[in-house]
Amino acid sequence: EKGGYETFMLKEIYEQPAAIKETIVDRLSDGIALSELGLTAEEARRLRRVVIVGCGTSYHAGLVGRYAIERWARVPVEMEIASEFRYRDPVLDAADLVLAITQSGETADTLAAMRLARERGARVIAVTNVMGSQATREADGVLYTRAGLEIGVAATKTFVAQVAVMLLLGLWLGEARGTLSSTERDRLITELRALPDAVRETIERVREPVRAIAEHWQSAGFFLYLGRHIGLPVCLEGALKLKEISYVPTDAYAAGEMKHGPIALLDERTPVVCVACDSPVLEKVLSNIAEVRARGAHVVAVATEGRKEVAEHAEEVIYVPRTDWMLQPIPAIVPLQLLAYEIARLRGLNVDQPRNLAKTVTVE
Ligand code: F6R
């Protein structure tokens, strides 16, 4: 059932183009169709706030969604870890839209957050990969990711599908609220449609360079991940993958926060993974890379193809295909998934079933 792949995780990494395609295609037949949301354009216009809740990888997908929704739909978005949110006595009312992101649809803390939000009058949408899961029964509306069953404990294809659906939702809200021009929307839709091919190309292209980097750094005792803006959730997710399946300590930080503490960790033995894809903050990321290098640490950068100047700053650059910069997290996560994968394999670990972890977390 692994279809010739050595592990489910690798198979699922290769299934990412299909996961994205299934998630977006029939919602893009004529503009953006998300009728399953059960939200009218008028209701979208009246929204005062969006609150996104989730755990782990789903939380990271939500972080990408926050940038997309705020940028395109101009509505404030708050991000919440479900286990914190549920015990915080949050302020919520009927003008709030709560998006609960949960691949399995069964995560106890996320379900509790949904119940609380509904009790307080908010409208709750479940973003899930599993039909008929508990989250679908606790929600006012459901937005499915269509990644197919994921067996590897570390989420991969469900993450890119969650990001894709959040991007779609951002575009839909932008259209409904009149904050995104139709030319801009159409341009972004074209870019979205090209994502499955871009991810396929990314996997092919980065496999070898990532393997070489993994071989070189397989014994490192610590990895730091740095990024800004939309690159930050990519770092958080990449760092989580590495710690989950290789048991290597990692930290992921907003690059601008580095000098407020984590810079003290750096020495000649520290690999630092920087997401340095094209964005309005690329220059800032490049100066952070220079600061890291000045402390003797080693930089592995993920950059947009053609961006030669990143190679002048970093020791190793992994190039990913160009897309709109807001969509860049999808190709950019691929080399970081593969880096975690290769390091775990070199260390002889069971990537499909890492120690202490379960695919579904039904207890808090
Ligand atoms: C990480 C991972 C976990 C889940 C988290 C939430 O690879 O799989 O962090 O993302 O347990 O699970 P769901 O999305 O099912 O609520």
Side-chain angles (χ1 to χ4, degrees):
E1 29 175 343
K2 290 182 196 145
Y5 291 94
E6 56 194 8
T7 61
F8 283 110
M9 184 179 171
L10 190 63
K11 173 171 178 265
E12 288 158 1
I13 288 173
Y14 275 84
E15 284 170 351
Q16 294 187 114
I20 298 164
K21 190 165 180 204
E22 285 301 311
T23 298
I24 64 174
V25 271
D26 27 298
R27 286 152 168 167
L28 287 180
S29 48
D30 180 23
I32 300 157
L34 289 180
S35 53
E36 66 250 64
L37 271 181
L39 203 66
T40 64
E42 176 53 32
E43 286 166 332
R45 276 193 290 279
R46 282 204 307 261
L47 283 180
R48 204 178 49 215
R49 183 172 67 150
V50 173
V51 178
I52 305 179
V53 297
C55 307
T57 290
S58 294
Y59 175 82
H60 298 154
L63 286 172
V64 180
R66 167 162 71 176
Y67 290 104
I69 294 169
E70 288 200 334
R71 183 174 173 82
W72 296 329
R74 307 310 298 158
V75 58
V77 182
E78 278 172 32
M79 245 346 278
E80 306 272 0
I81 291 171
S83 56
E84 287 295 313
F85 179 76
R86 62 179 291 196
Y87 292 119
R88 222 190 53 226
D89 193 10
V91 182
L92 288 165
D93 63 34
D96 292 320
L97 177 69
V98 173
L99 304 170
I101 309 184
T102 168
Q103 179 280 128
S104 63
E106 306 291 347
T107 299
D109 282 317
T110 308
L111 293 174
M114 293 174 72
R115 275 176 218 132
L116 178 68
R118 281 185 90 193
E119 274 163 31
R120 299 197 170 180
R123 186 194 286 256
V124 176
I125 307 287
V127 179
T128 182
N129 199 48
V130 181
M131 298 243 285
S133 57
Q134 190 58 28
T136 67
R137 293 194 285 267
E138 306 264 359
D140 299 300
V142 182
L143 202 49
Y144 282 105
T145 49
R146 298 180 188 145
L149 177 68
E150 189 173 66
I151 292 171
V153 165
T156 53
K157 64 175 179 172
T158 55
F159 173 73
V160 293
Q162 287 169 338
V163 172
V165 95
M166 294 306 287
L167 294 169
L168 274 182
L169 178 61
L171 293 176
W172 184 85
L173 285 170
E175 181 176 22
R177 292 168 60 84
T179 47
L180 183 69
S181 74
S182 52
T183 354
E184 185 61 356
R185 185 206 60 190
D186 291 347
R187 186 184 67 76
L188 289 161
I189 287 178
T190 307
E191 298 273 15
L192 265 180
R193 283 185 195 281
L195 277 178
D197 284 339
V199 170
R200 192 170 300 115
E201 197 187 323
T202 307
I203 298 171
E204 276 164 24
R205 237 203 256 181
V206 306
R207 198 74 211 277
E208 277 313 312
V210 166
R211 201 174 274 154
I213 291 165
E215 266 166 28
H216 190 253
W217 290 109
Q218 57 177 302
S219 308
F222 170 70
F223 279 74
L224 181 63
Y225 290 68
L226 296 175
R228 284 176 181 255
H229 199 280
I230 205 108
L232 179 57
V234 178
C235 288
L236 290 164
E237 175 59 7
L240 178 64
K241 289 290 92 101
L242 188 62
K243 61 168 80 90
E244 277 185 300
I245 62 169
S246 341
Y247 318 143
V248 178
T250 64
D251 206 348
Y253 249 88
E257 273 288 285
M258 193 181 55
K259 55 170 73 70
H260 301 287
I263 199 163
L265 291 167
L266 302 181
D267 61 25
E268 315 70 50
R269 287 164 311 181
T270 322
V272 180
V273 178
C274 292
V275 174
C277 293
D278 282 10
S279 84
V281 293
L282 176 59
E283 281 304 314
K284 301 284 170 195
V285 174
L286 293 180
S287 38
N288 295 130
I289 291 178
E291 289 159 10
V292 168
R293 292 288 300 279
R295 270 77 192 178
H298 300 267
V299 174
V300 175
V302 178
T304 307
E305 68 178 340
R307 196 51 80 180
K308 295 277 187 300
E309 57 266 47
V310 180
E312 290 158 21
H313 289 77
E315 280 155 298
E316 313 265 9
V317 186
I318 306 167
Y319 285 104
V320 297
R322 175 179 308 277
T323 172
D324 180 83
W325 70 275
M326 288 290 290
L327 279 48
Q328 199 76 63
I330 289 187
I333 192 59
V334 173
L336 303 194
Q337 294 168 334
L338 285 166
L339 181 65
Y341 182 81
E342 299 291 352
I343 291 179
R345 294 293 285 171
L346 287 163
R347 290 179 168 226
L349 298 169
N350 180 346
V351 299
D352 286 338
Q353 283 179 306
R355 69 185 182 201
N356 308 340
L357 292 173
K359 186 71 188 159
T360 309
V361 185
T362 52
V363 290
E364 68 171 284

